[in-house]
């Protein structure tokens, strides 16, 4: 692992180290050596074996049938626009917790739950998000299932188990003359946005994803991930920012610059080296607030630009750090980012109000961590007061742990937690975190022995929110659809069917290769 990047999200780095996987730069190097590249529609399995990729990343045998249900497209084409909203990693517990905090702390019902209470015409159901090789999906396979209509192996982005390369949904809409855009709070090269617009066998190939966005010339890209565009941080030392400008893109890196841009040019907005900060951190750090736009602001700019298109558009909007809050068992990181996503949902609902030309899909790709408010106190009467302790949180668990390691003193640990949460930990509780930082603390469920999980479990004693894991879960997920016609949506939807819905509703079957 020497020389490899070590700034992956904590959950990914942990899995990578535990399973002795090769690093991102090695993946990209081997990718470049193989015949799977921009000049080839399909990579050679023989060449793949020559490069050694299969020996390090075995293609897992399918646990779920690869025979997808036949596409059930009927005559459609009733909409011009598609807006696809993803609260990445949102379990039902996350949805409920955000609604409670929104009502109790801010005095308003969440827009998501308000929609359920309204008399608007919408479809609500559940969605089965299984991937090709597991009932528990990752974001790459999940986003790809929507984008190409097929279940793929976890980690792959629009590339099949035998190297099949599938045209992603943004390319389909682009070929139909529509505007294309991605907005996220993660790196713009992260799995969920990448799933809508690129083809790579491994989601970690984010340098390559940045190149493919440029090659495809999508109209709008906003999020984090600057490190995959600047020469000093790319393995090939290519200056992609200059390359984007040469292709006519406006490139912005600061919130203020967003309001000074022309609306008739393509836009690349990169507002952090990696992911955008959590909302809880943004809300309490003036420098972040001034320099980094909110998801709602980015989505509003995208909708304003795309609403001028006479031929329509497709726009994916992702609240991606909800997932990270789940992985980190971070209650404030998770809930306030879900509330930020919900504010964006309000903007989008206002946009589609009264329109008969727009398909709106609101969903998630999987649960993460599955948080829940537990019964606390006598007859569970302490649960509400404990949850309200969240109001006093000022920083994320990520912030707490970023400055701690195995050499951190007990006073330093106590100080960081106190500043972030206003909770004073006992000496015994501090010792648990110390042990986790040193790799010496063990819980019966081994995955819960990491520092993030230990801190999350300790905070549960004070706010009532506890977790099942730091990983994804196999839940059927919430699905909401608002469209002129809803006769193509079932109570239980298979993830791949959303591809059918989008392609049919927008009348782009020819570009999708569907008769």
């Amino acid at each position: 692992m020497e020389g490899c990047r070590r700034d992956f999200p904590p959950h990914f780095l942990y899995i990578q180290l535990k399973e002795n996987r090769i690093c991102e730069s090695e993946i990209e190097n081997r990718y470049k050596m193989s015949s799977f590249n921009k000049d080839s529609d399909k990579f050679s399995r023989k060449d793949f074996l020559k490069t050694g990729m299969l020996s390090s990343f075995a293609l897992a045998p399918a646990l779920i049938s690869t025979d997808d249900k036949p596409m059930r497209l009927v005559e459609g084409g009733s909409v011009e626009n598609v807006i696809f909203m993803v609260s990445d990693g949102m379990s039902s517990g996350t949805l409920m917790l955000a609604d409670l905090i929104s009502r109790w702390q801010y005095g308003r019902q969440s827009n998501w739950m308000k929609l359920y209470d309204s008399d608007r015409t919408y479809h609500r159901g559940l969605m089965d998000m299984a991937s090709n090789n597991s009932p528990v999906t990752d974001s790459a396979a999940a986003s790809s299932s929507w984008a190409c209509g097929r279940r793929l192996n976890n980690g792959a982005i629009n590339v099949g188990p035998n190297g099949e390369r599938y045209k992603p949904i943004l390319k389909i809409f682009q070929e139909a003359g529509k505007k294309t855009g991605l907005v996220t709070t993660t790196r713009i090269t992260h799995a969920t946005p990448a799933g809508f617009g690129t083809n790579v066998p491994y989601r970690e190939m984010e340098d390559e994803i940045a190149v493919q966005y440029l090659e495809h010339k999508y109209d709008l890209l906003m999020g984090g991930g600057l490190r995959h565009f600047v020469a000093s941080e790319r393995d090939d030392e290519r200056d992609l920012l200059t390359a984007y400008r040469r292709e006519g893109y406006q490139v912005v890196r600061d919130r203020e610059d967003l309001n000074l841009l022309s609306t008739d040019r393509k836009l690349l907005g990169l507002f952090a080296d990696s992911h955008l900060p959590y909302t809880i951190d943004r809300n309490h750090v003036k420098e972040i607030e001034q320099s980094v736009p909110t998801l709602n602001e980015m989505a509003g700019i995208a909708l304003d630009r795309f609403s001028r298109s006479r031929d329509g558009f497709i726009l994916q909007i992702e609240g991606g750090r909800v997932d990270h809050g789940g992985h980190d068992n971070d209650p404030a990181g998770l809930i306030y980012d879900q509330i930020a996503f919900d504010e964006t949902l309000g903007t989008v609902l206002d946009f589609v109000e009264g329109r008969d030309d727009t398909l709106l899909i609101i969903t998630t790709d999987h649960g993460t961590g599955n948080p829940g408010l537990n019964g606390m106190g006598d007859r569970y009467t302490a649960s509400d007061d404990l949850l309200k302790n969240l109001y006093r949180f000022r920083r994320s668990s990520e912030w707490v742990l970023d400055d701690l390691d195995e050499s951190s003193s007990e006073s330093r640990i106590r100080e960081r937690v106190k500043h972030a949460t206003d909770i004073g930990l006992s000496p015994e509780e501090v010792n648990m975190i110390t042990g986790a930082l040193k790799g010496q603390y063990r819980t019966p469920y081994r995955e819960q022995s990491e520092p993030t999980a230990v801190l999350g479990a300790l905070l549960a004693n004070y706010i009532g929110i506890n977790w099942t894991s730091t990983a994804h879960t196999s839940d059927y997920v919430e699905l909401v659809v608002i469209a002129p016609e809803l006769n193509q949506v079932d109570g239980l939807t298979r993830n791949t069917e959303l591809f059918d819905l989008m392609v049919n509703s927008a009348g782009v079957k020819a570009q999708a290769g569907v008769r």
Side-chain angles (χ1 to χ4, degrees), residues 42-53:
K42 187 170 181 178
F43 63 24
S44 161
R45 188 174 179 87
K46 183 177 180 181
D47 287 346
F48 220 49
L49 284 164
K50 285 181 180 178
T51 66
M53 289 189 80

Side-chain angles (χ1 to χ4, degrees), residues 449-465:
S449 300
E450 292 299 295
T452 54
V454 173
L455 177 57
L458 289 173
L459 294 177
N461 295 313
Y462 299 90
I463 61 174
I465 298 172

Side-chain angles (χ1 to χ4, degrees), residues 249-317:
Y249 281 82
Q250 301 169 100
V251 178
V252 294
R253 295 169 55 180
D254 188 88
R255 181 188 180 202
E256 287 187 15
D257 293 339
L258 281 174
N259 298 319
L260 305 174
L261 300 177
S262 165
T263 58
D264 59 355
R265 293 174 57 195
K266 297 181 188 298
L267 173 60
L268 173 65
L270 301 170
F271 306 105
D273 190 54
S274 183
H275 306 302
L276 270 57
Y278 280 114
T279 298
I280 187 68
D281 294 323
R282 186 184 189 280
N283 288 348
H284 292 89
V285 180
K286 191 171 184 178
E287 292 79 6
I288 298 176
E289 181 183 6
Q290 291 175 339
S291 62
V292 179
T294 64
L295 181 64
N296 193 28
E297 289 170 339
M298 293 188 292
I301 288 169
L303 290 172
D304 178 64
R305 283 170 168 253
F306 285 1
S307 65
R308 307 167 194 267
S309 172
R310 289 179 294 181
D311 298 314
F313 64 85
I314 183 170
L315 174 65
Q316 184 201 82
I317 301 171

Side-chain angles (χ1 to χ4, degrees), residues 443-494:
T443 59
Y445 180 30
R446 288 186 295 274
E447 300 288 342
Q448 293 295 86
S449 300
E450 292 299 295
T452 54
V454 173
L455 177 57
L458 289 173
L459 294 177
N461 295 313
Y462 299 90
I463 61 174
I465 298 172
N466 207 359
W467 314 77
T468 64
S469 74
T470 56
H472 294 180
T473 56
S474 64
D475 315 43
Y476 292 140
V477 301
E478 287 278 329
L479 172 64
V480 182
V481 177
I482 295 177
E485 297 180 9
L486 293 173
N487 59 354
Q488 298 180 62
V489 187
D490 297 328
L492 178 62
T493 299
R494 181 186 172 97

Side-chain angles (χ1 to χ4, degrees), residues 28-79:
E28 293 185 0
N29 287 339
R30 296 186 182 187
Y31 168 85
K32 293 165 188 172
M33 293 167 60
S34 75
S35 62
F36 180 85
N37 54 44
K38 64 180 181 294
D39 299 319
S40 172
D41 287 335
K42 187 170 181 178
F43 63 24
S44 161
R45 188 174 179 87
K46 183 177 180 181
D47 287 346
F48 220 49
L49 284 164
K50 285 181 180 178
T51 66
M53 289 189 80
L54 287 180
S55 63
S56 297
F57 280 88
L59 292 176
L63 302 179
I64 296 173
S65 173
T66 58
D67 296 327
D68 287 339
K69 291 167 60 178
M71 293 184 180
R72 54 192 183 92
L73 297 178
V74 296
E75 290 306 314
S78 60
V79 305

